[in-house]
Amino acid sequence: MTHDLLVCEDLQVVYADGTAALRGVHLTLGAGIVGLVGANGAGKTTLLRVLAGILAPSAGRALIGGRSAIAHRVAVGVGSIPDAARLPAYLTVEGFLDGLRRAAGSPGETAVEAEIRHALDIDGLAQRPLPALSLGQRRRVELAAALIGDPDLLLLDEPTNGLDPLAMTALRSGLRAARRRDRLIIVSSHHLDELQRIADWIVLMHEGRIVASEAAAAMLARGPSLEEVFMTAAGGAGA
């Protein structure tokens, strides 16, 4: 992984009630699939909101492609599936995706989108109303939607929550199809076994700080599982 796409320097977020969600995050990442791991309250969602350009940091900065995260969102756009995303109830899957393409100024489905659509097995869902989709089907449609416009940054907050094994397999295939040389995909998830199967790089967070950031293979060589490595790193950070 080349470290030139995303740079966080002393990133801090303190909410109005005094809660410090991010406590001086330093992080550099390049293209690839990055697994973001941490307990509830570790700061993962806050970090993703800053990177998405929808939350301004209290101090420090986050640069994406040399721009601030907010400027990057305005100039280029960011693909994202927030936790508990909601889809409009009055459209079919095809109508929803077509509407997003028109809003993005796209003349039609790109070759990249077609490849991802195939990997996610969206064709069989095209005429189904969005409210009729299962949770796993919704997640697949949400991922296809997030990739419209071919963004270079994709942020996924707990995309595997509530998915059965078949839905996880389809989502995993879609993420692998979405991987490209100049795209950064950050996946926050509590399903550590899934992250082990798809991530090129792992970032561990604990109490608003980065406690480890390295290639997935190197990190997994330090313990029998990603869970064990995280528990050791978090314990050391809290000591």
Side-chain angles (χ1 to χ4, degrees):
M1 173 178 282
T2 57
H3 296 80
D4 56 3
L5 182 56
L6 182 148
V7 177
C8 295
E9 298 175 342
D10 194 27
L11 199 60
Q12 301 177 45
V13 170
V14 180
Y15 290 113
D17 64 359
T19 301
L22 297 180
R23 304 167 181 262
V25 167
H26 293 271
L27 182 64
T28 56
L29 295 171
I33 298 178
V34 175
L36 183 61
V37 177
N40 290 335
K44 303 187 303 298
T45 297
T46 298
L47 177 59
L48 292 181
R49 292 181 67 204
V50 171
L51 299 182
I54 59 177
L55 175 65
S58 305
R61 62 179 185 166
L63 301 178
I64 301 165
R67 301 183 181 96
S68 73
I70 294 174
H72 181 86
R73 181 182 184 88
V74 172
V76 181
V78 176
S80 65
I81 302 178
D83 193 12
R86 295 290 181 264
L87 300 179
Y90 54 87
L91 292 174
T92 64
V93 169
E94 193 62 40
F96 174 58
L97 295 177
D98 281 346
L100 290 178
R101 288 190 199 98
R102 289 194 298 272
S106 173
E109 186 176 61
T110 67
V112 172
E113 290 170 9
E115 179 185 0
I116 294 166
R117 179 189 181 107
H118 177 73
L120 290 168
D121 194 21
I122 296 293
D123 288 336
L125 305 175
Q127 300 309 313
R128 189 169 299 184
L130 292 174
L133 300 178
S134 69
L135 176 60
Q137 291 167 341
R138 285 204 309 274
R139 284 301 190 187
R140 285 153 51 194
V141 171
E142 288 163 358
L143 179 56
L147 286 159
I148 286 175
D150 203 19
D152 56 11
L153 177 62
L154 183 63
L155 305 173
L156 309 180
D157 192 3
E158 300 292 348
T160 59
N161 269 0
L163 300 191
D164 61 32
L166 288 177
M168 282 191 182
T169 298
L171 193 65
R172 188 189 316 132
S173 296
L175 287 173
R176 285 174 174 158
R179 181 196 273 120
R180 71 176 194 206
R181 189 164 53 91
D182 55 350
R183 173 181 284 138
L184 172 58
I185 303 172
I186 302 180
V187 184
S188 167
S189 179
H190 288 109
H191 288 114
L192 303 189
D193 55 337
E194 276 298 304
L195 287 183
Q196 289 181 205
R197 301 178 71 170
I198 62 171
D200 305 299
W201 197 266
I202 301 289
V203 175
L204 305 183
M205 291 193 71
H206 181 63
E207 296 182 348
R209 296 183 174 89
I210 305 296
V211 295
S213 176
E214 62 181 296
M219 188 170 288
L220 291 170
R222 297 200 274 118
S225 69
L226 185 53
E227 181 178 4
E228 290 291 333
V229 173
F230 169 68
M231 294 302 293
T232 298

